[in-house]
Amino acid sequence: MVAVSLAGSMLAKHGDRYVVEPWLRSILAGKTIPAIALTEPGGGSDAANLAVRARRDGDDYVLDGEKTSTSFATQAGIAVVWARTGPPGSGAYGISAFLVPLDLPGITTTEFEDLGGRCAGRGSLYLDGVRVPASHLLGAENRGFVQVMQGFDYSRALIGLQCLAVARQSLDETWASAAERESFGKPLTAYQGVTFPLAEAETHIHACRLMCLHTLWLKDQGLPHTAEAAMCKWWGPKLAFEVVQNCLLINGHGAYTTEMPYEQRLRDVLGLQIGDGTAQIMKLVIARHKAARKGVAM
Ligand SMILES: Cc1cc2nc3c(=O)[nH]c(=O)nc-3n(C[C@H](O)[C@H](O)[C@H](O)COP(=O)(O)OP(=O)(O)OC[C@H]3O[C@@H](n4cnc5c(N)ncnc54)[C@H](O)[C@@H]3O)c2cc1C
């Protein structure tokens, strides 16, 4: 859902209509999965420091280099790929974004054996002299980082909601199982040691969910929401992990097996503390935006 929304909105907003429309139809029909290829082996946090090259050659760009940690690497039909079109050291203003069909000659992919989120088949893309028509440029040349990356604000709120849904489900199931199971002659829900963590989780999930919805509302109003989206992205996955961990403990030894869903949920939401930017990077984003709005030096 997040990949489709994120890549789909980037194509719709920044692509040549005649190039992107067939892909968007295929994505919406559920026939094509899009991937986002930004991270490289050299690091993901400092994304503007990327090394994959794209050089103009006639009516094409020729792409060379390696992208890694790409969700759906082996399943996707297309990827949004960021590559350097400016000189080395040109930073965020020398990067362009491309729509790259993944069946083009020169592309190979591999898949990792991940701890969680296995359906997303994270892996690497190797680009070896891949010729992409110039019409597949998204946004303006050398402005792909600044223009196209804005879509990440939206996906950050969605990732928060995605993780909170996992926490919500775990919490609902745990209220029910705690009411059924007895110790010392009473249901577990008779003990505040059990219900207070659940009550705290109810409070935090409610607050974080409202924050995600408020962020999406700001987006709908056309109002700034970069800092708010970063708040959703660092808090949602972390909170979900903590809630699922508590639910696992309240469900006892049986929840520490693959017979129950909690171990898988823990592994799945843990990955989203990293994917789309870590908590440290989200806090940098929040601090920069708040400092700028308040005119405070950093
Ligand atoms: C499940 C999952 C799905 C992913 N899907 C995609 C995808 O589809 N497409 C894609 O392009 N990428 C994807 N990624 C990659 C992800 O975006 C990067 O892993 C992430 O941005 C961090 O980059 P890195 O792993 O290279 O860590 P690094 O950038 O090497 O950072 C390592 C550690 O140092 C910390 N750090 C770095 N700089 C600072 C700083 N200035 N201050 C404080 N701490 C700092 C980081 O927070 C991190 O803890 C995915 C990752 C995961 C786990």
Side-chain angles (χ1 to χ4, degrees):
M1 187 186 75
V2 172
V4 164
S5 309
L6 179 57
S9 62
M10 287 172 177
L11 298 184
K13 201 165 173 193
H14 301 289
D16 176 311
R17 183 179 170 173
Y18 295 100
V19 173
V20 300
E21 196 174 303
W23 288 113
L24 285 172
R25 288 190 186 284
S26 181
I27 290 168
L28 291 175
K31 292 179 183 157
T32 297
I33 297 177
I36 295 285
L38 178 63
T39 304
E40 298 186 357
S45 300
D46 186 9
N49 196 21
L50 57 81
V52 166
R53 293 276 317 154
R55 67 180 165 81
R56 185 78 190 241
D57 184 26
D59 289 339
D60 298 332
Y61 285 89
V62 181
L63 273 62
D64 282 288
E66 180 183 343
K67 292 289 179 183
T68 194
S69 195
T70 309
S71 298
F72 309 108
T74 57
Q75 306 165 51
I78 56 164
V80 177
V81 177
W82 282 263
R84 187 157 302 287
T85 37
S90 49
Y93 290 92
I95 294 171
S96 304
F98 299 90
L99 187 174
V100 179
L102 293 180
D103 59 356
L104 289 178
I107 300 180
T108 47
T109 58
T110 55
E111 189 172 323
F112 304 160
E113 279 201 28
D114 267 352
L115 186 66
R118 290 177 184 159
C119 62
R122 209 167 54 98
S124 295
L125 297 183
Y126 301 92
L127 306 155
D128 183 10
V130 178
R131 297 193 83 87
V132 179
S135 57
H136 286 47
L137 186 66
L138 300 172
E141 189 179 83
N142 291 330
R143 292 290 176 273
F145 196 79
V146 185
Q147 291 175 340
V148 185
M149 293 276 287
Q150 283 168 2
F152 281 100
D153 287 346
Y154 175 52
S155 65
R156 285 173 182 161
L158 292 186
I159 287 175
L161 288 171
Q162 187 181 8
C163 291
L164 292 176
V166 177
R168 176 76 266 158
Q169 182 70 18
S170 301
L171 198 52
D172 288 347
E173 288 169 7
T174 302
W175 277 114
S177 57
E180 268 176 29
R181 194 170 175 90
E182 288 192 0
S183 77
F184 305 97
K186 288 182 184 169
L188 291 182
T189 43
Y191 303 109
Q192 292 178 344
V194 171
T195 56
F196 277 16
L198 297 181
E200 284 172 17
E202 290 288 350
T203 312
H204 293 151
I205 290 175
H206 185 58
C208 193
R209 186 162 184 276
L210 288 179
M211 193 167 77
C212 295
L213 295 176
H214 178 241
T215 303
L216 293 176
W217 179 85
L218 289 173
K219 175 182 162 49
D220 280 350
Q221 306 306 308
L223 295 168
H225 56 285
T226 299
E228 290 76 6
M231 293 175 197
C232 303
K233 173 60 191 57
W234 83 257
W235 193 28
K238 179 172 182 287
L239 172 61
F241 187 87
E242 290 162 358
V243 170
V244 177
Q245 182 187 355
N246 251 324
C247 291
L248 186 153
L249 295 175
I250 290 172
N251 279 278
H253 75 92
Y256 189 64
T257 69
T258 53
E259 304 264 305
M260 292 182 82
Y262 301 99
E263 60 83 28
Q264 185 199 335
R265 292 176 186 166
L266 272 183
R267 290 186 285 104
D268 287 349
V269 295
L270 182 59
L272 290 169
Q273 289 192 36
I274 307 172
D276 214 315
T278 62
Q280 287 96 325
I281 299 307
M282 293 306 114
K283 289 173 193 174
L284 276 179
V285 170
I286 297 164
R288 277 192 197 130
H289 273 76
K290 291 296 169 189
R293 278 187 212 171
K294 295 177 196 308
V296 175
M298 272 186 79

